[in-house]
Amino acid sequence: MGIFQKLHHICIVVHDIDKAQAYYQSIGIGPWESYPPLVEYEELEVPSRDGFMAMQYGICNLPNVQLQLCQPSKDPSPQRIHLDTKGEGVFHIGFEVPDADVAEAEARRTGPSVLMRGRRTNRTGFTYYDTAEKAGVILLTRATNLAGR
């Protein structure tokens, strides 16, 4: 068994998060809530800290999966590059893992290189893997804190 076993969310990049949320809500997908502040990540390895901190996220918790909408700022980020080159659509697929550091170490052993990563003080957080060229989409692992974020 590998680390990509338990689907948690699908993240879609959009130009206008309010417009996208309103559309999804109009067809029965909702409710949407803002994702907590990204400043909670004390350890952060991303192409641009400003670009990462300026992204807007909305989440919708469905019974079987979480949908995420991401509106990147104009600052550099993989999400901005995706939006500018490919348009709106799925940016990454996120998988839940019990331990972010263990999952990342396992991924490094099996092949995917790390694209971005972030950890909170309690070591929960995320790792994006550079899998788009071979898998068609970026894969992500995440370990949550007690609040389930």
Side-chain angles (χ1 to χ4, degrees):
M1 295 291 270
I3 61 171
F4 304 108
Q5 298 299 310
K6 185 179 179 187
L7 181 64
H8 179 268
H9 67 268
I10 298 170
C11 180
I12 302 164
V13 292
V14 296
H15 289 288
D16 184 329
I17 197 166
D18 294 327
K19 184 178 172 183
Q21 286 177 355
Y23 174 73
Y24 280 108
Q25 194 80 31
S26 77
I27 61 171
I29 301 172
W32 292 87
E33 59 186 86
S34 294
Y35 187 79
L38 299 174
V39 296
E40 62 191 15
Y41 296 102
E42 294 185 359
E43 183 181 313
L44 194 59
E45 296 172 24
V46 294
S48 164
R49 188 173 185 86
D50 290 340
F52 180 82
M53 294 298 176
M55 283 190 280
Q56 295 179 49
Y57 275 94
I59 61 173
C60 173
N61 290 306
L62 299 171
N64 57 343
V65 69
Q66 181 183 87
L67 292 182
Q68 296 181 355
L69 296 176
C70 173
Q71 179 184 319
S73 71
K74 296 294 181 191
D75 293 307
S77 69
Q79 292 89 335
R80 170 52 48 195
I81 292 167
H82 181 98
L83 192 57
D84 289 346
T85 60
K86 297 179 180 175
E88 295 180 311
V90 174
F91 175 69
H92 73 258
I93 299 172
F95 294 85
E96 186 72 35
V97 295
D99 184 305
D101 295 324
V102 169
E104 184 177 308
E106 175 66 20
R108 287 180 189 271
R109 279 193 299 278
T110 60
S113 61
V114 171
L115 184 62
M116 299 182 288
R117 64 189 303 278
R119 297 292 186 275
R120 298 177 186 98
T121 304
N122 65 4
R123 302 308 297 162
T124 61
F126 64 86
T127 306
Y128 287 81
Y129 301 97
D130 192 9
T131 56
E133 198 169 303
K134 292 183 179 180
V137 67
I138 290 173
L139 301 179
L140 170 141
T141 55
R142 68 186 296 280
T144 62
N145 61 15
L146 295 178
R149 293 188 273 187

